[in-house]
Amino acid sequence: MSVNQGITLKVENIHKTYGREKVLQGISFEVKKGETKVIIGPSGTGKSTLLRCVNRLTIPDAGRIWLDGTEITHPRTDINKVRQSIGMVFQDFNLFSHLSALDNVRIGLIKVKKMVKGEATEEAMRHLARVGLEDKAAAYPAELSGGQQQRVSIARALAMGPKLMLFDEPTSALDPELIGEVLKVMRDLAESGMTMVVVSHEMGFARSVCNEIVFIENGVIVEQGPPEVLFEDPQHQRTRQFLFKITELYGKSERK
Amino acid sequence: MNFFELTYDILPALLKGTVVTLELTACSISLGFVLGIALALGRLYGNRPISAFSSGYIQFFRGTPLLVQLFILYYGLPRYDIRLSSFVAGILGLGLNSAAYQAEYFRGAIQSISRGQMMAARAIGMSRFKTIMNIILPQALRIVIPSWSNELIYTLKYSSVAYMIAAPELMAQGKFIAAENFRYFEVFLVVAFIYLVAVLIVSRALNVVEKRVRIPGLQMAQ
Amino acid sequence: MVTLELTFLLLVVGLAVGILLALGQVYGGKGLVLLSSTYEQIFRSIPALVLLFLFFFGSSFVGLNISAFLSAVLALGFRSSAYQSQIFRGAIQSISQGQMIAARSLGMSKFQAIRHIILPQALRLSLPPWSNEYSSVVKDTSLAYAVGVIELVREGRYIIVRTFEPMIIYITIAVIYFILTYAGNRSLGYLEEKLKIPGFETKSRKE
């Protein structure tokens, strides 16, 4: 456990305050290579802020973060370089509206990774195929369903060849019947050995896919552990209450 | 000479003026375009002084008449030994004025693009500059087309004010001819007709452009 | 002062004609719609300066002897009405069809419905774009200079002839115009706040 080897992400004592509101108050955790971690917690407890701190879209007030031994929080780290190795998937997709699905996936390869166009196209198509959307390559975001848009956004992140994928409530803006297709892509991704941190209340997904659930409330980690332990034998009353509430809301088993 | 003979007689000279009008419009709208984008970006993404300068500029040029701006350039500057030809002063005045309006249109268009897209671009490692160039501006420039078309037509019409500083454009040609044959009303009727046709042609052309570059789902919200 | 007078008259002419045009376009028959949209198209396409000259020289052409001031009021006023009509038309059209139907079902005549239900809403919605039109009108009064009306810019020229300080005078004039547009927009903004009705779109009748 204490051996540094095999640890992809290490987060140490992150603090973040907005105005007078202390959003994060000393969060620490580690994610091993190939592991999937699911973060849960009531809304407004800083889960999204935490994810954004990891790729420095939000700059934490204190604390340090390492990706594969490189300190992200070090001021001299080239953050644009680091971000290429951290894929991020947003709640509301944030696809580039003026670009087709293919161009959404390809633009990072061409403009950031400086790939030649032909090569970038091949690579982008490969990732669109991976999320089952090669036939939608020419469609613009407005012509895709929410589920399809989210899969394109996953492909966009994957195309950059990340070491770590962050998912910020990837299914909560979706109609219920579209959630399954996105979760399936995420499950396949986890099984293929991708290291992932997922903020989600899809407990079915958490149970069947993730290695560890982290329960955050009021900016601190209340409890973390393997899903079996947290579901069957939580140490804290709060964890029990919260899990009860969200399983009521979202259901226990994974949606198909 | 009846009206149609008169029209036939003066049309060549008026068309010469029309060419100048079009040149004036093209040059000043381009100047306004470049400056307008810079002002909009400055106002939105610039640091405090840049942003304050941009909004001050925009407010001043939108709050004062073009005529006065032209007079400042053409009659005011020579007091300090800066002498501009009427054509150059016209372009400068119309361009600086149009920049303020265009800046507001660009700003509106940029602000209608979700902040999430900026974040998503940064998340795949694009720098701020690259994001503006590759994600924000290509969308903003499409979204802005309808209001920008209005601005182009506005500039075409207001280029007539450059007549007051003696730029040899359509109005000035009209006045020149009318001063010789004393048929003011008829001459300006022809002038009005030329503007009408020019405005119609330009707006039709811009409609075509708008359709050409349209992308599904990409319109100004509201 | 002539500038203020001009501004006021232009806005009044523009408002009266503009509202009529807008109503004609929305509720009128085919002929009326065609007429008012042609009027709009013509007055919006011809530059203000050309319109001024047409009215100025045209009045004597048809044998009328009107002052430069009056021809400026008519030319720029009609021009403003074309723009204002577009503002009001947009506002009227944005008010849901249901409001008209509801008013008619209460037994109101079409005229009553327009007067008591549609216009009070449309005029509120029109305030922000109308505030822009106000600025345009203030600035366009300067064009009356071209037909010899002694307004702010021409007053300025007279002073320049005496003082030979064109820069200072023109900048001062610019500042005066700026104050006029700024103060006007501020007051209109204030008016907008005052007249604001919560939940505008879905509002039910007062009382």
Side-chain angles (χ1 to χ4, degrees), chain C residues 65-86:
Chain C
N65 205 352
I66 61 174
S67 67
F69 182 81
L70 186 56
S71 64
V73 168
L74 293 178
L76 297 177
F78 287 155
R79 178 167 183 273
S80 177
S81 76
Y83 284 94
Q84 293 194 38
S85 127
Q86 218 197 15

Side-chain angles (χ1 to χ4, degrees), chain B residues 56 59-68 71-73 75-77 79-80 101 150 153-154 156-158 160-164 171 175 184-186 188-193 195-196 199-200 203, chain C residues 41-50 53-55 57-59 61-62 79 83 132 135-136 138-140 142-143 145-146 153 157 164-168 170-171 173-175 177-179 181-182:
Chain B
Q59 283 223 322
F60 177 79
F61 277 90
R62 285 167 52 104
T64 55
L66 174 64
L67 180 68
V68 177
F71 278 4
I72 289 176
L73 289 171
Y75 295 118
L77 286 181
R79 179 81 177 66
Y80 309 98
Y101 287 89
N150 282 337
I153 288 165
Y154 183 94
L156 172 62
K157 288 186 291 174
Y158 270 76
S160 62
V161 179
Y163 143 79
M164 311 274 272
M171 275 298 283
K175 188 85 191 239
Y184 284 92
F185 180 64
E186 288 137 301
F188 281 112
L189 217 49
V190 181
V191 168
F193 188 72
Y195 274 111
L196 199 68
V199 165
L200 283 178
S203 53
Chain C
Q41 182 73 52
I42 288 178
F43 275 93
R44 290 163 51 90
S45 299
I46 299 174
L49 205 50
V50 181
F53 279 17
L54 281 179
F55 274 74
F57 294 116
S59 55
F61 183 80
V62 297
R79 178 167 183 273
Y83 284 94
N132 279 334
S135 303
S136 306
V138 171
K139 291 181 287 173
D140 283 347
S142 65
L143 299 177
Y145 164 89
V153 181
R157 284 221 95 146
F164 301 107
E165 284 295 353
M167 198 56 156
I168 296 170
Y170 282 133
I171 295 272
I173 290 174
V175 170
Y177 276 110
F178 186 78
I179 293 171
T181 54
Y182 186 82

Side-chain angles (χ1 to χ4, degrees), chain A residues 114-127:
Chain A
K114 308 277 178 210
M115 246 182 221
V116 292
K117 204 161 178 183
E119 211 180 312
T121 308
E122 240 172 68
E123 182 72 6
M125 283 308 288
R126 207 165 59 74
H127 285 97

